[in-house]
Amino acid sequence: MSSAEPMRIALLGAPNCGKTSLFNALTGGRAKVANYPGATVEYQKGMYATSDGRQLELLDLPGVYGDCGHSADERVTIDAIHGRLEGEKAPDGIAVVLDAAHIKTHLHNVLQAKNYGLPMIVVLNMMDMAARDGVEIDLVALEEEIGVPVVSSVAVRSAGRAALVELLDSWTTQIVDGKAVTPTRENRDLKILQQHARAITSRTIQATQVQSRSARIDNIILHPVLGVLILISILFVMFQAVYAWAGPAMDVISGGTDAFGALVGSHMSDGWFKSLIVGGAITGVGAVIVFLPQILILFAFILALEASGYMARAAFLVDSLMAKVGLNGRAFIPLLSSFACAIPGIMAARTIESEKDRLTTILIAPLMTCSARLPVYLIIIGAFIPAKNIGMFNQQGLVMFGLYMAGIVFALIAAFFLKKTVTSGEKPSLLLEMPSYKIPSFKSYLIGLWQRAMIFVNRAGRIILPASIVIWFLSYFPNKGGPIRESFAGMLGRVLEPVLAPIGFNLEMSIALIPAMAAREVAVSALSIVYNVDDEDGAGGILEGALAADWTMPMALAFLAWFVFAPQCLSTFAVTRRETNSWKWPFFMFGYLFVMAYVAAGLTFWVATWAGL
Amino acid sequence: MNEKTTLAALPKSVRARIIGFSADTEDQETRFREIGFAEGDIIEILHVGVFGKSPINVKLHGTSIAMRPRQAAMINIELLNESVS
C-alpha cells in the first residue's frame, strides 16, 4: 500500500444496523458521493482521522445479509468488497457492523464475512438498546470465538464510540505494519455456518425472555386497524405540513427575491441586459428557490420515518395492498422516496430482489408526486382554490392531498396492468426484517437534510438558471420584449397549441411545457417569465394574479391533471435508461405517461366545463 | 411426538421450532438462511396483515421478519409441547 493513498476501510452490515449513522458520526458527514434518503443507494466515501492523525477513507455500503448479492444494490456491496467496482480498489480492511440486539439472528453473516480474507473487526452497534432488551453479550468470549477484534459501540454518542476509536487506531496501525490478523476461513455452507454461529451465541450471549421495546411498539404500529390509521394520519399530517408550515419561510424568501431583483434593477439601465438579469435569471431562479422550505419539510418527514425504523413497518402494512396489484411492500420505500424525486426513488428500487417487480416499480415511480411538481401545484392551487377551511381542514391542503392521492391511485392501476402484461412472471414474495425502533441521531439527521437541501439548490443553479435564461431568450427575442405571441417561445408554443388545445391548454401553458422538460418546476419559472416578461420588477407574487385573470377554472384543473402524470422530465428518462440498461423501457414509460396525461387533462377539462366550474 | 406442519399453518402467538425448509428454489432457501432462519430456531407469528392474513410478521430471536404466507409454507416446523398462555 502506498503511503500517499489513505487506507480504505469498508463498513459492512445488514440493512438498518446503524452503519450510516456510524459513518456520519466518524466522518462528520463530509461524504463524497450523493446519498439519497432512505437506504444508502449507491455508496458513500468519507475521510476519518485517527487519533495519531492518519487519514482513513471509510466506505458506507448498502446493507447485505450474505455474500450472494440477490438485488442490484447488494451486488454493489459485494463488488466493492472484492474490488470489482470500476475505478475503485478493494478495501484494506472490513468493519462488520452488527445491531447488537439482533446478534443471535445475524452472527453467521459475520462468520461469512471472514471468507473475504481481509483484516476484519466487528462493531456491535446499539449496545445500549440491546442491554435494555435483556441481551447480555460476553465480548471477551465472543472475540475469542470469532477470532477477530470485537468492540461495542453506541454510534450516536461520542462516549459510546470511545472503544471503537481506540480499536481503529491500533488495528489500522497493524494493517499498515502488515501485522493485522487475516481471519481464518469458515465453511462456505450456510447451514453449517448457522450451526456454528448458534453454538457461539449459546456460549456467549444471555438473553432474558423479555418483550423487546420494539416488539411492544409493534403491538400498536402493526395493529391491523390502529396501525393503518396511524399510517394514514402520518401521511396526511406530512402533506398538510408541507402546505401549512412552510408559509412564513416562503414569504421571507419571495420577499427577499423581490427586494434583490429591485435592488439589482435599480443599478442597471433599461435594456435587454437588465431584462435578462432581473426578468430572466432572478425571477426564474427565485420562483423555484421559494419552494425550498416545502421540500425540506417533506424530506424531514421521509428521513425521520426511515431513520426511526418506521418505514419497514409501513412496508408491512401496505404489503397486502401492493399484493393486489402484483407488487410487494418493499416497493413502498422507493415509491415514498419518489415523492421527493423520482430519481432517488428509481435508484432505491435496486433493493427489490425480483427484476420484474423492480421494473414495475421503476415504471410507476414517476406517478408519485415529486417535489418538483409541488411548485406547479402550489401556484395553480394558490391562484384558483380559495384558502377557506372545510371543517378543520384547509381547502387548498385538501386539493393538494387529492392530487397526491390521484398519483398513487393511477400508479396502482398502472402497476396492475403492467404486471398483467409487460412485466408478468415470477411468483410474488416478500422477506423484510423489521429494524429496531430508534431515535435517530440528530446530527446524522441534519446531515441527511442538509445533503437534500444542497442537491436542490445545486439543481437550481445547474438546471434552472440556464433554463431560465433560455426561456427568457426565447420569450424576449426576436421582438425585444414585445408580445409573447411574436417571440420564439410563442412560435414554438403555436406548434404545440393545436395538439393541446382540445384539452384546454392555451398558448402560455403550451410554452411552459417545453422548458419543463429540463425539470418540472421550471414550468413555474416559465409561466412567471412568460406572464411577467414586460414587468421587470415582477416576481412570484404577481404570477398567481396573472394566472387567475387569464385562465378559467377548467383550464387550471386540466393543467393540474396533466402534472399528476407530468411525463416530460428528462432526468427521469435518463435515470430509467441507466437503471434498466435499455432504451425500450424509458420510451415505454414516456409513451404511457403521455397518453395518460393527455387523456386525464382532457377529461378533467371537459367534465369541469360541462359542470360549469 | 410433536405435531409437524409449516409456518403458514401456525396460529398466531403459538411457539414452534424450525425443522427444515422445502423452498421452491435454492435461492429462496439461501435467502431464508441469510436473513437468519435456521433449523432449531424458535419462531412465533406476532402480527398478521390487514387483508387476507398477509403478510405475517415472524418473531425470530431478538428481531422480527415479514413474509408472505406462500413463503411461510416453505418453512417446516414442529409445535412446541407447551400450553398456550
mmCIF file of all heavy atoms in Angstrom, chain A residues 28 132 265 295 301 315 395 496:
data_model
loop_
_atom_site.group_PDB
_atom_site.id
_atom_site.type_symbol
_atom_site.label_atom_id
_atom_site.label_comp_id
_atom_site.label_asym_id
_atom_site.label_seq_id
_atom_site.Cartn_x
_atom_site.Cartn_y
_atom_site.Cartn_z
ATOM 1 N N GLY A 28 -18.132 12.908 10.177
ATOM 2 C CA GLY A 28 -18.708 14.243 10.323
ATOM 3 C C GLY A 28 -19.602 14.603 9.149
ATOM 4 O O GLY A 28 -19.932 15.759 8.924
ATOM 5 N N ARG A 132 -31.023 -2.984 27.146
ATOM 6 C CA ARG A 132 -32.360 -2.701 27.659
ATOM 7 C C ARG A 132 -33.340 -3.831 27.309
ATOM 8 O O ARG A 132 -34.272 -4.115 28.043
ATOM 9 C CB ARG A 132 -32.858 -1.378 27.077
ATOM 10 C CG ARG A 132 -34.134 -0.887 27.737
ATOM 11 C CD ARG A 132 -34.413 0.544 27.372
ATOM 12 N NE ARG A 132 -34.212 0.753 25.949
ATOM 13 C CZ ARG A 132 -34.026 1.949 25.405
ATOM 14 N NH1 ARG A 132 -34.021 3.019 26.143
ATOM 15 N NH2 ARG A 132 -33.869 2.071 24.099
ATOM 16 N N GLY A 265 -31.995 45.767 -10.182
ATOM 17 C CA GLY A 265 -32.611 46.506 -11.289
ATOM 18 C C GLY A 265 -32.357 48.001 -11.184
ATOM 19 O O GLY A 265 -32.142 48.683 -12.196
ATOM 20 N N ILE A 295 -39.797 21.572 0.385
ATOM 21 C CA ILE A 295 -39.034 20.371 0.075
ATOM 22 C C ILE A 295 -38.307 19.877 1.319
ATOM 23 O O ILE A 295 -38.241 18.686 1.590
ATOM 24 C CB ILE A 295 -38.102 20.668 -1.111
ATOM 25 C CG1 ILE A 295 -38.965 20.626 -2.378
ATOM 26 C CG2 ILE A 295 -36.972 19.677 -1.213
ATOM 27 C CD1 ILE A 295 -38.467 21.411 -3.517
ATOM 28 N N PHE A 301 -39.727 14.697 7.032
ATOM 29 C CA PHE A 301 -40.611 13.581 7.373
ATOM 30 C C PHE A 301 -40.047 12.250 6.857
ATOM 31 O O PHE A 301 -39.964 11.277 7.596
ATOM 32 C CB PHE A 301 -42.011 13.802 6.779
ATOM 33 C CG PHE A 301 -42.920 14.612 7.658
ATOM 34 C CD1 PHE A 301 -42.960 15.991 7.556
ATOM 35 C CD2 PHE A 301 -43.744 13.995 8.590
ATOM 36 C CE1 PHE A 301 -43.796 16.750 8.366
ATOM 37 C CE2 PHE A 301 -44.585 14.740 9.397
ATOM 38 C CZ PHE A 301 -44.618 16.121 9.290
ATOM 39 N N ALA A 315 -44.034 -0.581 5.144
ATOM 40 C CA ALA A 315 -43.971 -1.565 4.062
ATOM 41 C C ALA A 315 -44.796 -2.797 4.420
ATOM 42 O O ALA A 315 -45.501 -3.356 3.578
ATOM 43 C CB ALA A 315 -42.516 -1.957 3.789
ATOM 44 N N GLN A 395 -58.827 24.042 2.656
ATOM 45 C CA GLN A 395 -59.315 23.539 1.371
ATOM 46 C C GLN A 395 -58.176 23.350 0.361
ATOM 47 O O GLN A 395 -58.157 22.407 -0.418
ATOM 48 C CB GLN A 395 -60.360 24.505 0.815
ATOM 49 C CG GLN A 395 -61.024 24.013 -0.457
ATOM 50 C CD GLN A 395 -62.147 24.935 -0.889
ATOM 51 O OE1 GLN A 395 -63.134 25.086 -0.195
ATOM 52 N NE2 GLN A 395 -61.979 25.551 -2.036
ATOM 53 N N LEU A 496 -47.258 23.544 -30.720
ATOM 54 C CA LEU A 496 -47.874 22.603 -29.774
ATOM 55 C C LEU A 496 -49.351 22.892 -29.548
ATOM 56 O O LEU A 496 -50.130 21.994 -29.255
ATOM 57 C CB LEU A 496 -47.165 22.696 -28.416
ATOM 58 C CG LEU A 496 -45.980 21.793 -28.156
ATOM 59 C CD1 LEU A 496 -45.496 22.001 -26.725
ATOM 60 C CD2 LEU A 496 -46.372 20.320 -28.356
#
